[in-house]
């Protein structure tokens, strides 16, 4: 309905009044606007923020970033992203990245303990970080430690600088002992100017490589905790290369042209690698026993009518005398020898007479044992030195023991009273009536991950997820002792060559030394950054070698409990370690599918052997140390020439080519055999390094090269159909045993 005249008049009146009111207020508003600058002045920064807000609402991103850069309003994250994008555009590759220049915090810079607080917090955070990122994060600690110390000295804080050096230098002595020794003498700002090493570190950036996630975690931690002093050091003195690490990246770590990683100095500590000299009384007893046996037997003759050398004469030739680098018998105290030890020594001497000589032209024979229907549950395998017994640990928390020489195993009845056992007849009466080829040993409360037989085969030691190790008697098939000390699951265990001692490796990043007569550990070997996955005794029992998920292996002195060698070079976790019989060499392997051969005396790598296409689970040397065998997840056993000199550069490798679609060269039923079609470094048609690279590129384009190059140290491949090899071991007569679990996949 149309409005009434009254309504129209009212509306018109209202509009007139409103218009009049607005007209009368306009001069007042103009006066206020003119007076505003004098009452609430706006700084240039506030104006910039108003403009930035306007640009952000309109979506002008490029203009917003440009204004922020000119007005110095970029956040730390935006500056880091801008630098990374600019470098990537300029180089087109993985480029150095670093945090933005931090603003000065006067309160923190004025605090003489700022460096100590920030560094200790970062150190503690890295120590508690995930094992996946810990090695990369640890690499940035040394440049931060070094420049924090120099900055404290430069500011005249001598007391704080000395305390800082004393508190944290032990963390870096293994890798940087020479540099720390020289820089520790700097106590004045003038010394920094005169010291060439200090000037080199101050004028050159320290190169570090990190994965993107590690870099982001580091910068986020420093920013969240406002550790400005450390952010400034990272920005000014550290060159972080963000990208995935590969096998050949060691040379980019540190300062170019300077031997930053000074492991050679740390690895110069004196070690006694010679064989343990025999007890004179024990040697006399063995010689007397051999004389009595020869007098009773009257001597033996061989098939051609010639009389062989007597065992006594051979024993006098091979008996162990104290050498220049032999350890003292007091270094590893042992219990008195028994009559069984004398018989074991004589049996070992007989085995040495029947030992097969191995070499490149005489490869070992391999006896393979295969577990069926056990791939998902079996965790470890161990074989006794005389190859008469085998034990396996399972995820169902039990250990199964097998007899390999045909003798049946008989345990004890569960209801007998040990107090009623007085002689062997009583012992036989309480044994089970039925015997079998295998027995189940029950006692652990979690999956069993490691097992090892004592040298005399009387005992078996096992370790488990239940944080314990258990000692079993192979005669009574009972659990004798439970050893507890680790805080987390125990991954591996190894009996010493002389018995009595054994070592364990655990998820708690330590290895421990035990003796059978003590329920607590004698030594704790701490130093690895991640899980200790494997442990092995040195042949003279004075040292223990460990391999870890931190991609390093270490040699420990059991007497002092300290690390005397560090071996770096792997790019994956180490799962297998083997010691040569003479104690001079060590081989390590694991997830990176390569075998590294080390000289224990110098701590240097002798060579790298490649060819496996899966994780390597086990290694072992032949009795003369000339052949090394390896078992892998690629379902093969491979033999390697230890004596052959290591190849240089790209030479000394064979390229494998496929002759069938989807499989590697010579593969049979999914397993890889040794069947090279391109050879490099020797013979007719040898390829140069450039030709090798071109051939590799062609194979990669065709999708034919699926694994690493096969080094010339490789002698032979022994494939299985579908059985990953978990354990390889040489017997005293150089027969190679290989054990695995059949995979139905």
């Amino acid at each position: 309905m149309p409005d009434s005249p009254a309504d129209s008049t009212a509306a018109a009146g209202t509009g007139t009044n409103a218009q009049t009111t607005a007209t009368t207020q306009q001069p007042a508003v103009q006066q206020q606007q003119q007076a505003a600058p004098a009452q609430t002045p706006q700084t240039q920064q506030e104006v910039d923020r108003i403009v930035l807000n306007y640009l952000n609402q309109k979506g002008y991103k490029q203009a917003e970033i440009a204004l922020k850069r000119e007005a110095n309003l970029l956040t730390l994250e935006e500056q880091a992203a801008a630098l990374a994008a600019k470098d990537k555009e300029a180089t087109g590759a993985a480029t150095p990245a670093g945090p933005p220049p931090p603003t000065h915090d006067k309160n923190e810079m004025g605090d003489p303990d700022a460096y100590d607080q920030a560094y200790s917090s970062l150190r503690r955070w890295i120590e508690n970080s995930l094992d996946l990122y810990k090695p990369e994060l640890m690499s940035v600690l040394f440049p931060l430690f070094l420049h924090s110390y120099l900055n404290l000295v430069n500011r005249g804080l001598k007391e704080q600088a000395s305390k800082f050096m004393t508190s944290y230098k032990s963390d870096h002595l293994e890798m940087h002992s020479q540099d720390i020794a020289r820089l520790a003498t700097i106590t004045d700002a003038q010394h920094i100017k005169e010291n060439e090493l200090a000037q080199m570190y101050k004028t050159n950036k320290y190169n570090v490589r990190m994965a993107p996630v590690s870099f982001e975690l580091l910068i986020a931690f420093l920013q969240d905790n406002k550790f400005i002093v450390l952010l400034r050091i990272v920005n000014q003195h550290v060159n972080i290369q963000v990208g995935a690490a590969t096998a050949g990246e060691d040379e980019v770590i540190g300062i170019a042209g300077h031997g930053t990683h000074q492991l050679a100095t740390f690895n110069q500590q004196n070690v006694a690698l010679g064989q343990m000299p025999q007890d004179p009384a024990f040697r006399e007893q063995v010689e007397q026993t051999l004389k009595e046996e020869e007098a009773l037997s009257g001597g033996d003759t061989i098939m051609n009518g010639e009389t062989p050398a007597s065992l006594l004469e051979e024993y006098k030739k091979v008996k162990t005398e104290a050498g220049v680098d032999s350890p003292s018998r007091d270094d590893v105290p042992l219990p008195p020898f028994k009559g069984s030890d004398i018989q074991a020594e004589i049996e070992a001497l007989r085995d040495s007479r029947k030992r097969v000589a191995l070499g490149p032209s005489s490869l070992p024979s391999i006896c393979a044992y295969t577990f069926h229907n056990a791939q998902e549950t079996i965790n470890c395998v161990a074989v006794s030195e005389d190859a008469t017994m085998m034990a396996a640990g399972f995820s169902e928390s039990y250990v199964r023991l097998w007899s390999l020489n045909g003798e049946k195993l008989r345990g004890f009845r569960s209801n007998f009273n040990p107090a009623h056992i007085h002689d062997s007849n009583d012992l036989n009466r309480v044994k089970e009536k039925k015997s079998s080829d295998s027995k189940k040993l029950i006692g652990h409360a979690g999956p069993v991950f490691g097992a090892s037989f004592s040298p005399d085969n009387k005992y078996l030691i096992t370790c488990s997820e239940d944080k314990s190790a258990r000692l079993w008697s192979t005669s009574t098939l009972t659990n004798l002792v439970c050893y507890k000390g680790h805080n987390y699951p125990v991954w591996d265990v190894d009996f010493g060559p002389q018995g009595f001692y054994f070592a364990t490796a655990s998820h708690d990043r330590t290895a421990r030394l035990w003796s059978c007569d003590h329920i607590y550990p004698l030594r704790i070997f701490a130093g690895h950054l991640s899980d200790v996955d494997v442990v092995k005794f040195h042949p003279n029992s004075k040292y223990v070698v460990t391999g870890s998920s931190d991609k390093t292996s270490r040699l420990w002195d059991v007497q002092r409990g300290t690390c005397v060698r560090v071996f770096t070079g792997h790019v994956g976790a180490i799962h297998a370690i083997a010691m040569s019989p003479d104690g001079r060499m060590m081989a390590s392997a694991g997830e990176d599918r390569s075998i590294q051969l080390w000289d224990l005396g110098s701590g240097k790598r002798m060579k790298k052997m490649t060819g496996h296409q899966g994780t390597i689970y086990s290694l072992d040397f032949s009795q003369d140390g000339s052949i090394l065998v390896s078992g892998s997840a690629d379902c093969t056993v491979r033999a390697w020439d230890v004596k052959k000199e290591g190849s240089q550069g790209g030479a000394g490798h064979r390229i494998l080519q496929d002759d069938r679609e989807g499989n590697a060269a010579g593969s049979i039923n999914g397993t890889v055999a040794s069947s090279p079609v391109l050879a490099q470094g020797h013979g007719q048609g040898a390829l140069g390094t450039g030709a090798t690279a071109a051939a590799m590129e062609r194979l990669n384009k065709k999708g034919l090269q699926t694994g690493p190059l096969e080094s010339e140290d490789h002698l032979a491949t022994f494939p299985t159909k579908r059985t990953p090899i978990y354990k390889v071991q040489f017997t005293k007569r150089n027969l190679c045993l290989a054990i695995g679990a059949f995979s139905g996949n």
Side-chain angles (χ1 to χ4, degrees):
M1 296 178 60
D3 295 337
S4 62
D7 295 336
S8 301
T9 305
T14 303
T16 304
N17 293 336
Q19 184 178 3
T20 304
T21 303
T23 303
T24 57
Q25 290 180 351
Q26 185 174 359
V29 174
Q30 291 177 353
Q31 292 176 3
Q32 292 178 5
Q33 291 177 350
Q34 293 174 359
Q39 297 176 0
T40 57
Q42 291 181 331
T43 63
Q44 182 63 36
Q45 188 175 10
E46 291 175 344
V47 174
D48 292 338
R49 292 193 181 279
I50 293 173
V51 176
L52 286 173
N53 187 35
Y54 172 78
L55 294 175
N56 185 36
Q57 291 178 355
K58 292 296 184 181
Y60 301 139
K61 298 297 183 183
Q62 298 298 329
E64 180 186 0
I65 294 175
L67 179 58
K68 283 185 176 181
R69 187 181 295 110
E70 293 180 5
N72 196 24
L73 295 176
L74 282 173
T75 64
L76 295 176
E77 293 84 353
E78 291 172 342
Q79 290 191 48
L83 287 174
K86 182 178 179 181
D87 290 339
K88 184 175 182 180
E89 181 180 355
T91 61
T95 56
T103 58
H104 291 269
D105 188 331
K106 294 182 179 179
N107 294 331
E108 189 169 12
M109 289 300 296
D111 183 5
D113 296 327
Y115 286 98
D116 187 277
Q117 294 172 0
Y119 183 84
S120 62
S121 297
L122 176 63
R123 178 172 172 264
R124 185 166 52 253
W125 174 73
I126 293 177
E127 181 70 19
N128 296 325
S129 61
L130 293 177
D131 292 342
L132 180 63
Y133 309 119
K134 188 179 297 182
E136 292 180 344
L137 294 173
M138 289 289 290
S139 64
V140 81
L141 280 181
F142 176 69
L144 292 178
F145 161 80
L146 175 70
H147 288 285
S148 296
Y149 173 74
L150 294 178
N151 289 348
L152 287 170
V153 173
N154 194 43
R155 292 171 55 193
L157 303 173
K158 296 183 180 180
E159 182 178 348
Q160 286 79 5
S162 176
K163 179 183 176 182
F164 187 86
M165 173 65 72
T166 304
S167 300
Y168 305 115
K169 70 176 182 180
S170 59
D171 295 344
H172 311 287
L173 287 177
E174 293 179 358
M175 303 292 291
H176 312 279
S177 56
Q178 291 180 340
D179 286 355
I180 290 177
R182 293 176 60 183
L183 295 173
T185 61
I186 298 175
T187 58
D188 189 79
Q190 184 64 27
H191 296 168
I192 297 178
K193 299 178 181 179
E194 298 173 355
N195 190 288
E196 295 181 0
L197 183 62
Q199 287 300 311
M200 183 196 68
Y201 274 108
K202 291 184 73 68
T203 57
N204 295 275
K205 286 196 172 185
Y206 190 97
N207 297 306
V208 174
R209 176 168 286 275
M210 284 189 183
V213 176
S214 302
F215 172 72
E216 293 173 3
L217 289 172
L218 174 65
I219 299 304
F221 175 80
L222 296 178
Q223 291 175 350
D224 293 345
N225 292 275
K226 298 181 181 180
F227 292 146
I228 304 300
V229 290
L230 298 186
L231 276 170
R232 186 174 294 106
I233 293 175
V234 173
N235 179 71
Q236 296 176 355
H237 301 292
V238 182
N239 184 23
I240 301 180
Q241 300 283 341
V242 178
T246 57
E249 295 293 343
D250 287 345
E251 60 271 11
V252 305
I253 304 301
I255 296 177
H258 176 64
T260 306
H261 287 188
Q262 298 156 354
L263 272 180
T265 303
F266 179 82
N267 288 343
Q268 288 177 356
Q269 301 179 64
N270 292 328
V271 290
L273 301 177
Q275 297 185 19
M276 181 72 71
Q278 288 183 338
D279 184 0
F282 175 77
R283 187 166 60 245
E284 291 179 2
Q285 287 288 341
V286 173
E287 292 179 356
Q288 182 63 32
T289 303
L290 290 174
K291 288 180 182 179
E292 295 175 357
E293 289 185 356
E294 287 184 2
L296 292 175
S297 63
D300 297 328
T301 58
I302 58 177
M303 293 183 64
N304 58 8
E306 297 179 0
T307 303
S310 64
L311 285 175
L312 180 59
E313 293 175 355
E314 290 189 9
Y315 181 71
K316 290 181 178 180
K317 293 179 182 179
V318 302
K319 65 181 180 181
T320 306
E321 301 288 353
V324 177
D325 60 347
S326 295
S328 170
R329 290 193 60 84
D330 296 334
D331 291 343
V332 187
L334 293 170
F337 64 90
K338 305 183 291 291
S340 59
D341 297 330
I342 297 175
Q343 292 300 322
E345 183 73 11
I346 295 175
E347 288 299 322
L349 185 62
R350 289 195 175 101
D351 287 334
S352 66
R353 300 183 71 176
K354 300 179 181 180
R355 183 177 300 158
V356 177
L358 300 179
S361 59
S362 177
L363 297 178
S365 298
I366 299 179
C367 177
Y369 293 88
T370 303
F371 289 92
H372 291 272
N373 304 318
Q375 186 195 19
E376 301 297 329
T377 58
I378 189 170
N379 295 322
C380 62
V381 180
V383 181
S384 62
E385 286 191 1
D386 59 1
T388 59
M389 287 185 289
M390 178 171 62
F394 293 85
S395 297
E396 287 87 349
S397 307
Y398 69 87
V399 180
R400 185 168 285 278
L401 185 67
W402 283 270
S403 173
L404 302 181
N405 61 355
E407 295 183 4
K408 301 295 184 178
L409 300 177
R410 291 175 60 194
F412 286 94
R413 297 196 300 269
S414 58
N415 57 352
F416 79 96
N417 188 351
H420 297 162
I421 305 299
H422 302 290
D423 53 24
S424 59
N425 293 328
D426 294 337
L427 193 64
N428 289 328
R429 278 196 297 269
V430 298
K431 282 190 174 183
E432 296 175 335
K433 295 182 178 180
K434 294 183 179 180
S435 59
S436 61
D437 294 329
S438 67
K439 283 292 182 181
K440 184 183 292 187
L441 308 179
I442 300 176
H444 281 293
V448 181
F449 292 121
S452 178
F453 283 95
S454 63
D456 58 7
N457 301 336
K458 292 183 178 180
Y459 303 100
L460 172 71
I461 190 76
T462 59
C463 61
S464 168
E465 187 186 54
D466 61 10
K467 312 174 189 178
S468 71
R470 289 180 178 268
L471 184 70
W472 308 83
S473 170
T474 58
S475 301
T476 63
L477 304 181
T478 56
N479 182 217
L480 304 178
V481 190
C482 179
Y483 303 93
K484 295 183 178 181
H486 284 287
N487 302 320
Y488 290 94
V490 186
W491 300 133
D492 193 28
V493 63
D494 186 49
F495 245 117
Q498 309 294 332
F500 191 64
Y501 296 102
F502 65 91
T504 54
S506 172
H507 177 59
D508 61 13
R509 296 177 291 181
T510 68
R512 306 192 182 209
L513 178 72
W514 310 73
S515 65
C516 291
D517 61 346
H518 289 77
I519 60 173
Y520 52 83
L522 306 179
R523 296 287 185 273
I524 298 177
F525 307 117
H528 281 292
L529 303 179
S530 187
D531 293 33
V532 183
D533 297 318
V534 59
V535 60
K536 288 291 180 185
F537 265 92
H538 189 272
N540 64 15
S541 296
K542 181 173 171 57
Y543 301 99
V544 167
V545 179
T546 56
S548 170
S549 293
D550 66 6
K551 308 171 188 176
T552 68
S553 54
R554 292 170 178 255
L555 181 71
W556 307 84
D557 189 322
V558 300
Q559 183 67 25
R560 296 181 294 162
T562 58
C563 178
V564 294
R565 293 288 186 274
V566 178
F567 307 97
T568 62
H570 283 284
V571 294
I574 298 174
H575 294 316
I577 284 178
M579 308 292 294
S580 64
D582 61 1
R584 306 292 178 179
M585 293 182 295
M586 185 261 292
S588 59
E591 289 182 356
D592 61 2
R593 308 177 184 181
S594 67
I595 302 173
Q596 312 265 10
L597 193 64
W598 307 90
D599 178 16
L600 292 179
S602 64
K604 296 180 180 179
R605 184 175 68 183
M606 300 172 64
K607 60 181 177 179
K608 178 180 179 179
M609 299 179 287
T610 58
H612 275 295
Q613 300 190 26
T615 300
I616 300 173
Y617 293 136
S618 181
L619 298 169
D620 198 28
F621 283 91
S622 62
Q623 294 299 324
D624 57 359
S626 62
I627 299 295
L628 178 73
V629 292
S630 57
S632 169
D634 62 9
C635 303
T636 65
V637 176
R638 293 177 183 255
W640 310 86
D641 187 355
V642 175
K643 303 298 183 182
K644 188 178 181 65
E645 294 184 2
S647 56
Q648 301 294 329
H653 291 84
R654 293 188 287 264
I655 302 176
L656 302 182
Q657 184 179 0
D658 193 4
D659 52 2
R660 292 188 302 256
E661 183 178 359
N663 291 325
S667 62
I668 303 175
N669 294 330
T671 61
V672 181
S674 176
S675 181
V677 296
L678 293 178
Q680 182 201 351
H682 63 87
Q684 186 177 1
L687 302 176
T689 304
T692 302
M696 281 292 298
E697 184 177 357
R698 289 195 300 272
L699 292 177
N700 288 331
K701 287 182 178 179
K702 296 178 181 179
L704 301 179
Q705 177 64 25
T706 59
L709 293 177
E710 187 180 85
S711 62
E712 287 190 344
D713 311 278
H714 182 259
L715 296 176
T717 300
F718 303 90
T720 65
K721 289 185 177 181
R722 288 192 297 273
T723 303
I725 303 300
Y726 298 151
K727 177 74 174 180
V728 289
Q729 179 175 320
F730 276 103
T731 67
K732 293 290 184 64
R733 301 184 184 183
N734 270 344
L735 172 66
C736 179
L737 306 178
I739 306 168
F742 180 79
S743 172
N745 298 328

